[in-house]
Amino acid sequence: MEKIRLLIVDETAKAREIIRYALENSFSKIEIDEACSNTEAREKLESRYYDLILCDWESRSISGSELLKWMREHPELKKTSFIMVTVSNDRASLVDALQAGATSYLIKPFSVVGLVHRVISVVSRLDRRVAERFVSDSPVSLAFQDRRLDGALIDISMSGFLGTFKREGIFPQILERIVMSLRPEGSAEIAGIHGVVVRIQSAETDAASQYINIAVKFMHISSENEKALLRFFDMLKLKL
């Protein structure tokens, strides 16, 4: 899985430090850069690629709306994901920002969980656009806390997977970290892939369904497991 490249735009050094610490301790593959002004942000955006911009909307030396407008008019930056960080929870203002091109928003004060969840949400959308997904019903298990949940894949990519599991006992919650093990037919087990749960829903329209679907975003894949997954995907391609 490629690194997430993120730019924090905020005039306050302490705010940048808190965001950096929270994200670096939540994502194993993340590369964070910082800018303290619109000018510095533009210079960095012109010189290198970022997956995501996390920008303070109301700072005195940073006009989030001006930076967003400039990016949406820039031929190479108009589709770059942009999370506005704002103290305003006025619905009309938030709607205006989203219509102007903001991808999402984060309202101050926010928790570490809220920050991580919002970044996961935006990055997951990026992954769905660029990551090739493969359908498979191979057995899969999730280890969390001191428990294990067995089920079957629905689909999988290098960024994560969707699986179906029987609704019994305790299962992991949204944002809970898990360790996945996959047992492809005719090949060795792929074990020890770390991820975080990003979605849980009933497997059927009936809320009383005995099965649930769990979506997991991969957080860390070793080079050995990355190669094993690529071999697994090659096997699935041959079956198409």
Side-chain angles (χ1 to χ4, degrees):
M1 181 175 64
E2 295 293 330
K3 282 186 176 181
I4 302 166
R5 294 176 176 84
L6 183 145
L7 176 65
I8 302 169
V9 185
D10 196 302
E11 67 178 2
T12 307
K14 188 63 176 179
R16 299 195 304 272
E17 180 185 350
I18 290 171
I19 293 172
R20 175 187 282 272
Y21 180 82
L23 294 179
E24 286 182 340
N25 280 274
S26 300
F27 295 89
S28 62
K29 289 192 174 184
I30 191 166
E31 186 176 315
I32 296 177
D33 204 352
E34 300 178 16
C36 64
S37 68
N38 266 341
T39 301
E40 185 179 10
R42 291 188 186 195
E43 289 174 353
K44 291 193 172 186
L45 285 163
E46 288 276 22
S47 62
R48 62 170 306 181
Y49 171 80
Y50 297 96
D51 296 296
L52 173 60
I53 313 305
L54 199 67
C55 180
D56 192 331
W57 199 246
E58 292 101 359
S59 292
R60 287 168 297 178
S61 62
I62 297 169
S63 169
S65 59
E66 287 182 8
L67 181 61
L68 177 61
K69 183 176 185 294
W70 173 78
M71 287 177 60
R72 293 304 176 243
E73 293 174 349
H74 194 291
E76 296 179 2
L77 300 171
K78 59 185 178 181
K79 292 185 178 180
T80 301
S81 294
F82 185 105
I83 297 179
M84 59 178 288
V85 183
T86 176
V87 295
S88 173
N89 61 0
D90 175 64
R91 180 174 175 79
S93 299
L94 296 175
V95 170
D96 287 345
L98 293 172
Q99 290 178 340
T103 310
S104 189
Y105 61 87
L106 193 62
I107 298 174
K108 298 178 182 178
F110 52 82
S111 65
V112 170
V113 170
L115 169 65
V116 171
H117 193 186
R118 195 53 51 95
V119 170
I120 287 174
S121 175
V122 172
V123 171
S124 293
R125 279 182 249 169
L126 286 172
D127 285 338
R128 284 197 293 272
R129 289 201 300 266
V130 302
E132 187 175 10
R133 304 193 72 84
F134 299 92
V135 175
S136 172
D137 60 357
S138 296
V140 63
S141 65
L142 308 181
F144 61 101
Q145 301 174 32
D146 58 348
R147 301 176 183 276
R148 171 175 165 147
L149 188 64
D150 294 315
L153 286 181
I154 295 175
D155 61 44
I156 185 170
S157 73
M158 289 303 293
S159 62
F161 75 91
L162 178 66
T164 186
F165 302 85
K166 193 166 184 180
R167 190 198 296 264
E168 57 183 5
I170 297 176
F171 49 86
Q173 301 301 301
I174 297 290
L175 293 183
E176 185 161 358
R177 297 190 179 211
I178 59 89
V179 180
M180 183 197 87
S181 294
L182 174 65
R183 297 180 296 283
E185 182 181 353
S187 111
E189 179 181 41
I190 304 172
I193 298 180
H194 292 256
V196 62
V197 175
V198 294
R199 189 172 75 254
I200 299 175
Q201 63 188 45
S202 175
E204 301 170 1
T205 54
D206 181 2
S209 168
Q210 293 186 355
Y211 292 88
I212 55 172
N213 291 341
I214 298 178
V216 169
K217 165 77 177 176
F218 292 146
M219 306 298 286
H220 176 69
I221 304 178
S222 67
S223 58
E224 181 180 350
N225 277 338
E226 188 169 2
K227 292 175 184 177
L229 281 175
L230 290 173
R231 288 194 296 268
F232 176 48
F233 296 162
D234 286 340
M235 289 171 52
L236 294 177
K237 287 179 182 178
L238 292 175
K239 294 180 180 180
L240 296 178

